Amino acid sequence: MVIDCPACGAALMFDPETGKMKCDACDSLYDPSELKDDFQARGQKELKYSSFDEADNKTSTLKIKHDDTEKISLKLNDTEAPAVSSSPSQGLSLKREEGDVSFNPESTFDNPVYDHGDEASQEQLDLDNETMECKIYTCTSCGAEVAINDVEASTFCSFCGQPTVVFNRVDSQRKPKYIIPFSVTKETAIEVIRKRLNKGFFVPDAIKNFELERVRGIYIPFWLYDVYYHDKQYLKGKVGSGKNEHTYYYYREADCNFKEITLDASRQLNDESSQRLEPYYTNKMRPFALEYLSGFYADTYDVTTSEVDTLALQRAYALFQEAVNETIKAHSISVIKNAPDYKILKTQYAMFPAWFLTFRYEDVPYTLLVNGQTEKIVGGIPYDRGKVASSFAVLAVVFSVIATFVMYWLLQDTDSEGTMKLLITILIFAGSGMIAGFSNLKKVKESMKLTSSSATNNFVKNRGQ
Amino acid sequence: MFLLALLLGVFIGCSVSIFIIGNKVAKSNDIGNSKADFGDFASQMLNVIVQRDRISKP
């Protein structure tokens, strides 16, 4: 269904520049909240959402004890410091009424570490059991039949290009609580990418002058987690270097409240890509309104909270550890024993904006992402092999000549212990540098793989315009 | 002696070049390779309750 302009009847689209609904035909601007009233006044179908407010306020603590407010609690065997007896490498032994479960923050979290319990899981089960099917909708503008992806909430009509909002689909899904509307226009997204690519010395000229195959503004579904994290840790770290290096032990007890940790709720979009789009500034979130979707694509979630609970805890642990390590004046810090205690305080469903820009290079499609709020660009660009090879050759010749003379000079005095030490140190540094260089090249290749992955490409491709 | 110096020199030269090229390529072509950090999600600073440095091995 198209949201009509009250003045001329043409299709309205959300305008990121003004933050209002804009009619391209008569240039009228409308506040989304005004339109809502008008929408109802004209007798058009208003959405009826199931109420998930209770679910939004769900408290899922890791204490694995259930009560009427869907609390799940899980108690540590022994949380009293300093009697911390668990090892992070082996996982913690946690106790609950039904038996022991284990939590290893560094594991891959393939399996949830706790159960929501009968009452709490009922709502989750209802959502999980929903059938996902492709449906056919009629475009209200041209009458064409439009096939909608089973998780897509709004789309353009493939035939007439009208911004058609598919109300029935959104109706059957959980309503997002918040949305960050697009504040970056399509033109801005293209411009920032062009500017960034032109700065890249190793970006091939063909890419610098890329021709876009597709540009899509897509609202990505996210789960927002509020997590309380508390831990008692024994850590070790090293101070100094070489012969003066010493290992010291430390103890820390700390806690922290994390607010709105973002986890993407779309199975189609790679987690790595969505995490690189971060941060989204959630203080700019607005209550969800369908009007914001007009003119953009939107996916509803197809990953439930039960599937990402452990991922949320894993991220909370990583963030917590990052902060704890900063309180220790040492390097090579590692946790040797700990006793974490954590609670998932709240989960909320929100939609965040991103631009997906696809271009081809050597017949391979690459999709760059632009955060629709902050303009942050995400993607791995293929490098110009010729430039890389020639730069390497020039540098290698220059440094090899210099290093050969230095080595020749040092080798004249191999009897001296100091000279030998210097020689060995130089060789170790050189070897480490080579490993670091290859590691960086590997990371670029991994990013390129992500940018050209069929999953990311299909996330954008399967939408008509 | 010179041959050994040449071999070591080429090794060091290539290593330094790979290090520089690897960094430059990553800077030029790996865009947005960062994720949100502690400050983006923490509603307050880390609340350190107990802090003991250089204790004996537990």
Side-chain angles (χ1 to χ4, degrees):
Chain A
M1 189 177 282
V2 176
I3 298 174
D4 298 335
C5 171
C8 70
L12 288 176
M13 286 202 277
F14 181 75
D15 179 34
E17 269 184 312
T18 57
K20 293 187 173 181
M21 303 297 289
K22 187 180 180 185
C23 173
D24 282 338
C26 66
D27 286 334
S28 302
L29 290 169
Y30 300 95
D31 192 87
S33 58
E34 289 171 25
L35 277 169
K36 203 175 180 183
D37 299 336
D38 184 66
F39 199 59
Q40 285 171 305
R42 284 183 289 131
Q44 291 182 308
K45 185 183 171 189
E46 172 63 291
L47 287 176
K48 300 273 186 251
Y49 294 116
S50 308
S51 172
F52 284 90
D53 287 349
E54 287 176 19
D56 284 339
N57 294 325
K58 173 185 71 181
T59 300
S60 307
T61 75
L62 260 199
K63 289 201 171 176
I64 304 211
K65 196 175 201 176
H66 313 296
D67 59 27
D68 292 338
T69 57
E70 300 179 359
K71 252 186 192 170
I72 302 161
S73 51
L74 191 148
K75 276 185 180 168
L76 293 167
N77 265 341
D78 185 358
T79 57
E80 292 306 312
V84 178
S85 58
S86 53
S87 158
S89 59
Q90 295 166 346
L92 288 169
S93 178
L94 308 174
K95 198 165 190 177
R96 59 175 176 169
E97 287 170 359
E98 297 86 354
D100 291 351
V101 291
S102 65
F103 166 58
N104 178 0
E106 291 173 352
S107 74
T108 54
F109 282 96
D110 286 337
N111 300 309
V113 292
Y114 61 89
D115 188 359
H116 278 285
D118 295 339
E119 287 178 40
S121 64
Q122 192 53 51
E123 171 259 337
Q124 205 61 56
L125 277 174
D126 291 344
L127 292 170
D128 291 348
N129 290 337
E130 277 181 342
T131 53
M132 295 288 185
E133 53 189 326
C134 190
K135 294 177 180 175
I136 305 294
Y137 291 93
T138 305
C139 172
T140 52
S141 178
C142 71
E145 284 190 327
V146 186
I148 304 298
N149 180 299
D150 58 357
V151 291
E152 207 163 276
S154 76
T155 185
F156 288 84
C157 169
S158 312
F159 299 91
C160 67
Q162 288 284 4
T164 308
V165 180
V166 186
F167 293 111
N168 285 342
R169 189 64 201 141
V170 177
D171 194 22
S172 63
Q173 290 283 322
R174 181 173 172 176
K175 178 192 171 190
K177 193 160 188 178
Y178 298 107
I179 189 166
I180 296 177
F182 272 90
S183 53
V184 177
T185 62
K186 180 175 165 180
E187 293 70 27
T188 308
I190 296 169
E191 188 59 27
V192 291
I193 283 188
R194 280 204 193 281
K195 273 187 186 167
R196 178 61 184 81
L197 294 184
N198 279 311
K199 276 186 193 170
F201 180 73
F202 292 106
V203 176
D205 291 339
I207 293 181
K208 285 180 178 172
N209 305 312
F210 68 89
E211 278 188 28
L212 285 169
E213 198 171 88
R214 279 182 296 275
V215 186
R216 301 281 187 267
I218 302 174
Y219 280 108
I220 304 168
F222 275 89
W223 291 116
L224 309 180
Y225 275 80
D226 287 4
V227 177
Y228 168 77
Y229 202 96
H230 170 264
D231 203 358
K232 297 167 181 175
Q233 300 185 334
Y234 279 109
L235 308 103
K236 69 174 176 182
K238 290 176 180 171
V239 176
S241 60
K243 273 187 178 176
N244 296 321
E245 188 176 84
H246 298 286
T247 300
Y248 291 105
Y249 295 89
Y250 305 85
Y251 177 76
R252 293 287 183 275
E253 181 182 349
D255 66 1
C256 187
N257 277 302
F258 293 104
K259 200 165 158 43
E260 289 156 356
I261 294 177
T262 49
L263 293 158
D264 99 70
S266 172
R267 211 175 294 280
Q268 294 181 63
L269 184 64
N270 187 291
D271 286 350
E272 181 71 16
S273 298
S274 61
Q275 284 182 16
R276 284 186 178 199
L277 277 170
E278 293 169 355
Y280 279 100
Y281 298 112
T282 49
N283 57 346
K284 303 279 182 191
M285 283 194 306
R286 297 180 195 176
F288 178 81
L290 264 177
E291 285 76 6
Y292 293 119
L293 302 185
S294 189
F296 300 97
Y297 296 91
D299 278 0
T300 50
Y301 76 95
D302 59 353
V303 176
T304 61
T305 50
S306 60
E307 290 174 88
V308 290
D309 278 347
T310 47
L311 196 58
L313 292 172
Q314 192 182 31
R315 288 205 75 188
Y317 169 77
L319 294 165
F320 180 87
Q321 203 55 53
E322 176 190 317
V324 167
N325 288 359
E326 279 179 16
T327 67
I328 297 171
K329 286 173 185 166
H331 62 89
S332 309
I333 300 164
S334 59
V335 179
I336 49 174
K337 286 178 186 175
N338 68 338
D341 183 18
Y342 32 77
K343 293 173 187 172
I344 294 174
L345 302 171
K346 194 162 65 175
T347 58
Q348 296 176 108
Y349 177 31
M351 282 186 165
F352 294 164
W355 286 102
F356 290 68
L357 297 93
T358 307
F359 62 87
R360 263 179 199 277
Y361 177 66
E362 293 180 344
D363 218 28
V364 177
Y366 290 88
T367 303
L368 293 177
L369 281 63
V370 179
N371 183 316
Q373 184 190 30
T374 63
E375 298 183 8
K376 182 186 179 186
I377 307 168
V378 173
I381 311 293
Y383 44 81
D384 189 326
R385 292 188 197 94
K387 263 187 191 172
V388 171
S390 54
S391 303
F392 171 75
V394 171
L395 288 175
V397 168
V398 172
F399 284 114
S400 295
V401 170
I402 297 168
T404 301
F405 278 110
V406 173
M407 287 294 110
Y408 187 70
W409 178 68
L410 286 175
L411 287 170
Q412 303 299 313
D413 188 24
T414 47
D415 293 339
S416 159
E417 195 186 333
T419 308
M420 282 308 289
K421 271 186 186 170
L422 181 62
L423 199 98
I424 291 165
T425 308
I426 290 172
L427 289 174
I428 290 170
F429 269 105
S432 308
M434 186 186 270
I435 293 166
F438 277 126
S439 165
N440 273 328
L441 287 173
K442 195 180 164 194
K443 278 181 195 165
V444 176
K445 282 187 176 173
E446 280 168 4
S447 286
M448 280 166 58
K449 215 182 264 180
L450 204 65
T451 307
S452 60
S453 80
S454 54
T456 310
N457 198 31
N458 287 337
F459 187 77
V460 187
K461 194 178 170 185
N462 298 332
R463 295 158 206 267
Q465 188 173 0
Chain B
M1 187 69 82
F2 181 76
L3 193 65
L4 182 61
L6 183 68
L7 280 173
L8 293 176
V10 169
F11 170 72
I12 293 167
C14 288
S15 298
V16 173
S17 306
I18 288 167
F19 175 72
I20 293 171
I21 294 291
N23 276 325
K24 291 281 175 194
V25 171
K27 210 172 174 185
S28 158
N29 291 39
D30 194 3
I31 310 170
N33 186 10
S34 66
K35 294 174 186 176
D37 56 23
F38 181 84
D40 293 311
F41 293 129
S43 52
Q44 66 205 36
M45 296 299 286
L46 180 76
N47 175 33
V48 180
I49 303 161
V50 182
Q51 175 169 340
R52 276 186 261 157
D53 290 344
R54 301 194 178 188
I55 56 173
S56 57
K57 189 178 178 180

Short mmCIF file of all heavy atoms in Angstrom, two decimals, chain A residues 62-67 71-77 94-101 113-115 117-118:
data_model
loop_
_atom_site.label_atom_id
_atom_site.label_comp_id
_atom_site.label_asym_id
_atom_site.label_seq_id
_atom_site.Cartn_x
_atom_site.Cartn_y
_atom_site.Cartn_z
N LEU A 62 20.45 -14.32 34.55
CA LEU A 62 21.12 -15.60 34.48
C LEU A 62 21.14 -16.24 35.84
O LEU A 62 22.14 -16.69 36.28
CB LEU A 62 22.53 -15.42 33.94
CG LEU A 62 22.61 -15.77 32.49
CD1 LEU A 62 24.04 -16.03 32.13
CD2 LEU A 62 21.76 -16.94 32.12
N LYS A 63 20.04 -16.17 36.50
CA LYS A 63 20.01 -16.85 37.79
C LYS A 63 19.08 -18.04 37.71
O LYS A 63 18.76 -18.66 38.69
CB LYS A 63 19.60 -15.87 38.87
CG LYS A 63 20.74 -14.91 39.10
CD LYS A 63 20.69 -14.25 40.42
CE LYS A 63 21.99 -13.51 40.60
NZ LYS A 63 22.09 -12.75 41.76
N ILE A 64 18.58 -18.28 36.59
CA ILE A 64 17.80 -19.44 36.23
C ILE A 64 16.75 -19.89 37.26
O ILE A 64 16.53 -21.05 37.47
CB ILE A 64 18.73 -20.59 35.82
CG1 ILE A 64 19.57 -20.01 34.71
CG2 ILE A 64 18.01 -21.80 35.35
CD1 ILE A 64 20.03 -20.88 33.69
N LYS A 65 16.09 -18.93 37.80
CA LYS A 65 15.02 -19.24 38.74
C LYS A 65 13.83 -18.47 38.22
O LYS A 65 13.91 -17.27 38.06
CB LYS A 65 15.42 -18.73 40.11
CG LYS A 65 14.63 -19.30 41.22
CD LYS A 65 15.24 -18.79 42.49
CE LYS A 65 14.86 -19.66 43.63
NZ LYS A 65 15.51 -19.26 44.85
N HIS A 66 12.76 -19.15 37.92
CA HIS A 66 11.67 -18.47 37.24
C HIS A 66 10.62 -17.98 38.22
O HIS A 66 10.28 -18.65 39.17
CB HIS A 66 11.02 -19.41 36.25
CG HIS A 66 12.02 -20.11 35.43
ND1 HIS A 66 12.84 -19.44 34.57
CD2 HIS A 66 12.37 -21.40 35.38
CE1 HIS A 66 13.65 -20.31 34.01
NE2 HIS A 66 13.39 -21.51 34.48
N ASP A 67 10.13 -16.81 37.93
CA ASP A 67 8.99 -16.34 38.71
C ASP A 67 7.99 -15.74 37.73
O ASP A 67 8.14 -15.87 36.52
CB ASP A 67 9.43 -15.33 39.79
CG ASP A 67 10.10 -14.12 39.19
OD1 ASP A 67 9.81 -13.79 38.02
OD2 ASP A 67 10.91 -13.51 39.88
N LYS A 71 11.53 -14.24 35.19
CA LYS A 71 12.93 -14.16 35.60
C LYS A 71 13.56 -15.53 35.49
O LYS A 71 12.97 -16.52 35.86
CB LYS A 71 13.02 -13.67 37.04
CG LYS A 71 13.52 -12.26 37.13
CD LYS A 71 13.73 -11.89 38.55
CE LYS A 71 13.94 -10.39 38.62
NZ LYS A 71 13.94 -9.89 39.96
N ILE A 72 14.72 -15.54 35.01
CA ILE A 72 15.44 -16.80 34.91
C ILE A 72 16.72 -16.59 35.67
O ILE A 72 17.43 -15.64 35.42
CB ILE A 72 15.76 -17.10 33.45
CG1 ILE A 72 14.46 -17.13 32.66
CG2 ILE A 72 16.52 -18.40 33.30
CD1 ILE A 72 14.68 -16.96 31.21
N SER A 73 17.00 -17.41 36.60
CA SER A 73 18.22 -17.14 37.35
C SER A 73 19.15 -18.33 37.38
O SER A 73 18.74 -19.47 37.26
CB SER A 73 17.87 -16.68 38.76
OG SER A 73 16.99 -17.58 39.34
N LEU A 74 20.37 -18.01 37.53
CA LEU A 74 21.41 -19.03 37.52
C LEU A 74 22.45 -18.64 38.53
O LEU A 74 22.98 -17.54 38.48
CB LEU A 74 22.00 -19.06 36.11
CG LEU A 74 22.91 -20.22 35.76
CD1 LEU A 74 22.75 -20.53 34.30
CD2 LEU A 74 24.33 -19.88 36.06
N LYS A 75 22.72 -19.50 39.48
CA LYS A 75 23.63 -19.12 40.55
C LYS A 75 24.98 -19.79 40.37
O LYS A 75 25.08 -20.94 39.97
CB LYS A 75 23.02 -19.52 41.89
CG LYS A 75 22.06 -18.49 42.40
CD LYS A 75 21.58 -18.85 43.77
CE LYS A 75 20.60 -17.79 44.27
NZ LYS A 75 19.91 -18.25 45.45
N LEU A 76 25.97 -19.04 40.74
CA LEU A 76 27.31 -19.59 40.68
C LEU A 76 27.52 -20.55 41.84
O LEU A 76 26.96 -20.36 42.91
CB LEU A 76 28.33 -18.46 40.78
CG LEU A 76 28.34 -17.51 39.61
CD1 LEU A 76 29.14 -16.29 39.98
CD2 LEU A 76 28.94 -18.19 38.41
N ASN A 77 28.32 -21.55 41.58
CA ASN A 77 28.68 -22.47 42.66
C ASN A 77 29.32 -21.74 43.81
O ASN A 77 29.04 -21.95 44.96
CB ASN A 77 29.70 -23.48 42.13
CG ASN A 77 29.00 -24.73 41.67
OD1 ASN A 77 27.87 -24.98 42.05
ND2 ASN A 77 29.67 -25.50 40.84
N LEU A 94 28.37 -23.59 36.79
CA LEU A 94 27.29 -22.81 37.36
C LEU A 94 26.17 -23.76 37.78
O LEU A 94 25.92 -24.76 37.13
CB LEU A 94 26.75 -21.82 36.33
CG LEU A 94 27.80 -20.95 35.66
CD1 LEU A 94 27.15 -20.12 34.58
CD2 LEU A 94 28.45 -20.05 36.68
N LYS A 95 25.54 -23.37 38.86
CA LYS A 95 24.53 -24.29 39.38
C LYS A 95 23.14 -23.70 39.26
O LYS A 95 22.93 -22.53 39.50
CB LYS A 95 24.84 -24.60 40.84
CG LYS A 95 24.13 -25.84 41.32
CD LYS A 95 24.74 -26.33 42.61
CE LYS A 95 24.18 -27.69 42.97
NZ LYS A 95 24.81 -28.21 44.17
N ARG A 96 22.20 -24.51 38.90
CA ARG A 96 20.81 -24.11 38.94
C ARG A 96 20.02 -25.26 39.54
O ARG A 96 20.58 -26.32 39.80
CB ARG A 96 20.29 -23.77 37.54
CG ARG A 96 20.39 -24.91 36.56
CD ARG A 96 19.78 -24.56 35.25
NE ARG A 96 19.95 -25.62 34.29
CZ ARG A 96 19.34 -25.67 33.15
NH1 ARG A 96 18.52 -24.71 32.79
NH2 ARG A 96 19.53 -26.67 32.33
N GLU A 97 18.75 -25.01 39.73
CA GLU A 97 17.97 -26.01 40.44
C GLU A 97 17.94 -27.35 39.72
O GLU A 97 17.96 -28.40 40.31
CB GLU A 97 16.55 -25.48 40.65
CG GLU A 97 16.53 -24.39 41.70
CD GLU A 97 15.20 -23.69 41.76
OE1 GLU A 97 14.31 -24.04 40.97
OE2 GLU A 97 15.05 -22.79 42.60
N GLU A 98 17.85 -27.29 38.38
CA GLU A 98 17.71 -28.53 37.62
C GLU A 98 19.04 -29.25 37.42
O GLU A 98 19.07 -30.38 36.98
CB GLU A 98 17.11 -28.24 36.23
CG GLU A 98 15.71 -27.67 36.29
CD GLU A 98 15.72 -26.16 36.45
OE1 GLU A 98 16.82 -25.60 36.62
OE2 GLU A 98 14.65 -25.56 36.40
N GLY A 99 20.14 -28.58 37.67
CA GLY A 99 21.43 -29.24 37.44
C GLY A 99 22.47 -28.22 37.03
O GLY A 99 22.21 -27.03 36.99
N ASP A 100 23.66 -28.69 36.75
CA ASP A 100 24.75 -27.79 36.41
C ASP A 100 24.73 -27.40 34.94
O ASP A 100 24.40 -28.19 34.08
CB ASP A 100 26.09 -28.47 36.71
CG ASP A 100 26.27 -28.63 38.21
OD1 ASP A 100 25.45 -28.06 38.96
OD2 ASP A 100 27.20 -29.34 38.59
N VAL A 101 25.07 -26.17 34.70
CA VAL A 101 25.28 -25.74 33.32
C VAL A 101 26.62 -25.03 33.28
O VAL A 101 27.15 -24.63 34.30
CB VAL A 101 24.18 -24.76 32.81
CG1 VAL A 101 22.87 -25.45 32.66
CG2 VAL A 101 24.09 -23.56 33.73
N VAL A 113 23.28 -20.73 26.96
CA VAL A 113 23.81 -21.16 28.25
C VAL A 113 22.72 -21.29 29.30
O VAL A 113 22.95 -21.75 30.38
CB VAL A 113 24.89 -20.20 28.78
CG1 VAL A 113 26.12 -20.28 27.93
CG2 VAL A 113 24.36 -18.80 28.88
N TYR A 114 21.54 -20.84 28.98
CA TYR A 114 20.46 -21.02 29.93
C TYR A 114 19.14 -21.18 29.21
O TYR A 114 19.01 -20.88 28.05
CB TYR A 114 20.39 -19.86 30.93
CG TYR A 114 20.12 -18.52 30.31
CD1 TYR A 114 18.82 -18.09 30.13
CD2 TYR A 114 21.17 -17.70 29.91
CE1 TYR A 114 18.56 -16.86 29.58
CE2 TYR A 114 20.92 -16.47 29.35
CZ TYR A 114 19.61 -16.05 29.19
OH TYR A 114 19.37 -14.84 28.64
N ASP A 115 18.22 -21.65 29.99
CA ASP A 115 16.91 -21.93 29.45
C ASP A 115 15.95 -20.82 29.90
O ASP A 115 16.02 -20.38 31.02
CB ASP A 115 16.46 -23.28 30.01
CG ASP A 115 15.20 -23.75 29.36
OD1 ASP A 115 14.65 -23.04 28.52
OD2 ASP A 115 14.76 -24.84 29.73
N GLY A 117 12.93 -21.25 30.42
CA GLY A 117 11.92 -21.84 31.29
C GLY A 117 10.57 -21.90 30.60
O GLY A 117 10.35 -21.30 29.57
N ASP A 118 9.65 -22.65 31.20
CA ASP A 118 8.37 -22.90 30.54
C ASP A 118 7.57 -21.65 30.25
O ASP A 118 7.13 -21.41 29.15
CB ASP A 118 7.53 -23.84 31.42
CG ASP A 118 8.20 -25.20 31.51
OD1 ASP A 118 9.02 -25.49 30.62
OD2 ASP A 118 7.90 -25.93 32.45
#
